[in-house]
Amino acid sequence: MKVVIIGGVAGGATAAARLRRLDESAEIIIIERSGYVSYANCGLPYYIGGVITEKEDLTLQTPTSFWNRFRIEVRTHQEAIRIRRKEKAVTVRNLTTGETYEESYDKLLLSPGATAIKPNIPGTESEGVFTLRTVEDTWRIREWIEKKKPARAVVVGGGFIGLEMLENLMHAGIQTTLLQKSEQVMPPLDYDMACGVHAYLRKMGVDLRLRQNVTGIERTETGITVQVEGQEAIETDLVILAIGVSPETWLAKDAGLTLGMRGAIVVNPHMQTSDPDIYAVGDGVTVPHYVTREPAWIALAGPANKEGRIAADHMCGIETSYAGSQGSSVLKLFDMSIASTGLNERSAEAAGIPYDYVVTFSPSHASYYPGASNMTVKVLFHKETGRILGAQIVGFAGVDKRIDVLAVSIRAHMTGQDLAELELAYAPPFSSAKDPVNMAGFVIENVRQGLVKQYRYQDIEGLPQDGSIIMLDVRTDREYAAGHIPHTLHIPLDSLRERMGELDPQKPIYVNCQSGLRSYLACRILMQHGFQCYNLIGGYRYYALQQSEKELDTVPSHSCGLPIH
């Protein structure tokens, strides 16, 4: 069997190595347009920022090491420019010599990846304006920074690459402005969870500007001018365009293969395209979303690796299938960790799934052990079955560990009750006896069993102001004095039983505390005395983050003054 693989990195290189492990006699050729076949794509920003200091640390395999260990032929600086399906051949151009040649195949694997999107505005090709996708892009940006020594930078786009580049530019001593066209950074997060990230970015000195539409870039004698719709132009020395990527599938399109959403290649569970002798993997394909079963385009390294392995298995007669992706991810942002898996509210609504959610604040480990820091955990669940649909966590220590548990819970079709019953490792330096995952499960079950009813921060503005309800704050005097929701009655939790006569049992009571725990206790007290009670999801702290974001709107450059830890 002769297998030609177009594109390396996660999907293509993984498939090639797996093929060799399964079939020692197969002829395997990798055609790679760049000069690098297998590299740490996700580590590129950290070389630019000087966190990773050696170029060689980014290279996982070279053409020589592939040949020595696997007897796989890797041809770098060569580009596949046409697939001739009837002849089962690929036309390849040698980018060094300009010559073209034909390469036959029995099986063909496409691992084209995704290409960085450039906005359709003037100036994107100017000196000092970069995108980041390949190792060569990384060298260019790092060398430009070392040569020009920029003092200011603008990053356009607040997704994974944008935030990682922002952190690393700041790490390199470059004052950075982040421009985001939408109302939030990190699209996998819901807006309410992103607000905590916004506050942290400002605390770290980032000039964060949301709802900013870049209309042009101009090179000037003193640097670069970034023009923003309805705003003053921004003077800078360096621009990173990180507005997203799109699947690079022109080769598949020209070959007549079936394409789906966003132009990505449609594949079956074995990673076969509409031509059974052509497989495709990685950022260039659509796969089922594991939760909704609808087609999804998820550009992550983990799924690409798994898809490459499955394609290789199927070529060798092993009937493995890809069950789908749930988009599990984690991002380091200075000391903060941002993680998500499964559905967020937008995707749940788009899929028509009846969902609810809970928000908890939990310490990363036992609060009495030094160094604990809070994490915000948001978990979506199916209203009718309690099945876990998705989760988002923003915090510091321990975020990665909890999102992995929640990712497994989605894969295992677990419910809130299952989360509550999980037996997870505990010692004071690592966790609490009631782990944050358990806590989320407890709250979900309380909601589903009717032990507490919830209301959201978005509901507050719509609540009647005519005296027909009671807004109750059960925090301490000091907490209440530091800030509170307007028109709230203040009765500290520990005084509630003695002061219950101040409350009208005919009126619904909307309770809040700082995080949602004490107000839950207040609701349990009140409900058992005949009151109708609702608990504010996430508490005053969560509400205050959203209100602060409203007040700041698009005006950056200062901290919101809210506690991040």
Side-chain angles (χ1 to χ4, degrees), residues 4-8 29-33 78-86 89-93 100-103 105 108-115 133 246-259 262-266 273-275 278-281 284-285:
V4 173
I5 299 173
I6 299 174
I29 299 170
I30 300 177
I31 307 295
E32 171 57 46
R33 181 172 54 193
Q78 301 197 25
E79 181 178 20
I81 58 175
R82 186 185 175 197
I83 300 170
R84 296 191 294 121
R85 290 165 54 189
K86 288 183 179 179
V90 179
T91 304
V92 182
R93 177 182 292 122
T100 61
Y101 64 91
E102 300 292 311
E103 191 66 58
Y105 65 83
L108 179 66
L109 175 68
L110 305 180
S111 179
T115 185
R133 182 200 176 198
S246 61
E248 188 171 356
T249 54
W250 59 268
L251 189 63
K253 181 179 180 181
D254 288 349
L257 300 178
T258 301
L259 305 183
R262 300 188 64 170
I265 304 166
V266 173
T273 69
S274 52
D275 183 326
I278 302 179
Y279 295 72
V281 299
V285 306

Side-chain angles (χ1 to χ4, degrees), residues 6-78:
I6 299 174
V9 198
T14 295
R18 176 67 171 172
L19 278 166
R20 176 57 74 224
R21 292 194 295 272
L22 296 176
D23 188 346
E24 183 65 18
S25 65
E27 181 182 0
I28 307 168
I29 299 170
I30 300 177
I31 307 295
E32 171 57 46
R33 181 172 54 193
S34 75
Y36 300 86
V37 64
S38 180
Y39 56 89
N41 192 290
C42 299
L44 300 182
Y46 299 98
Y47 178 78
I48 293 170
V51 177
I52 297 172
T53 58
E54 301 298 328
K55 287 184 176 181
E56 293 75 17
D57 291 341
L58 294 173
T59 305
L60 305 178
Q61 293 283 354
T62 66
T64 300
S65 67
F66 251 114
W67 178 258
N68 290 340
R69 178 154 297 177
F70 299 110
R71 294 300 187 268
I72 292 171
E73 182 181 355
V74 178
R75 302 175 187 173
T76 56
H77 299 296
Q78 301 197 25

Side-chain angles (χ1 to χ4, degrees), residues 344-387:
N344 57 25
E345 287 197 69
R346 294 186 302 277
S347 54
E349 288 169 1
I353 296 175
Y355 74 93
D356 201 350
Y357 67 87
V358 298
V359 175
T360 57
F361 291 102
S362 296
S364 54
H365 58 249
S367 57
Y368 58 81
Y369 188 89
S373 58
N374 281 328
M375 62 180 75
T376 305
V377 182
K378 180 174 183 177
V379 180
L380 276 69
F381 60 94
H382 195 286
K383 273 188 175 182
E384 297 167 5
T385 66
R387 177 189 169 189

Side-chain angles (χ1 to χ4, degrees), residues 268-271 287-288 293 302-304 306-307 310 320-325:
N268 67 15
H270 308 303
M271 310 313 297
V287 295
R293 309 314 304 166
K306 295 175 183 65
E307 292 158 12
I310 286 168
T320 52
S321 299
Y322 190 59
S325 176

Side-chain angles (χ1 to χ4, degrees), residues 208-228:
L208 173 63
R209 308 191 186 188
L210 304 171
R211 305 176 188 87
Q212 304 289 290
N213 183 29
V214 176
T215 57
I217 300 170
E218 183 181 357
R219 185 79 195 176
T220 66
E221 292 183 1
T222 58
I224 303 171
T225 299
V226 179
Q227 293 148 358
V228 182

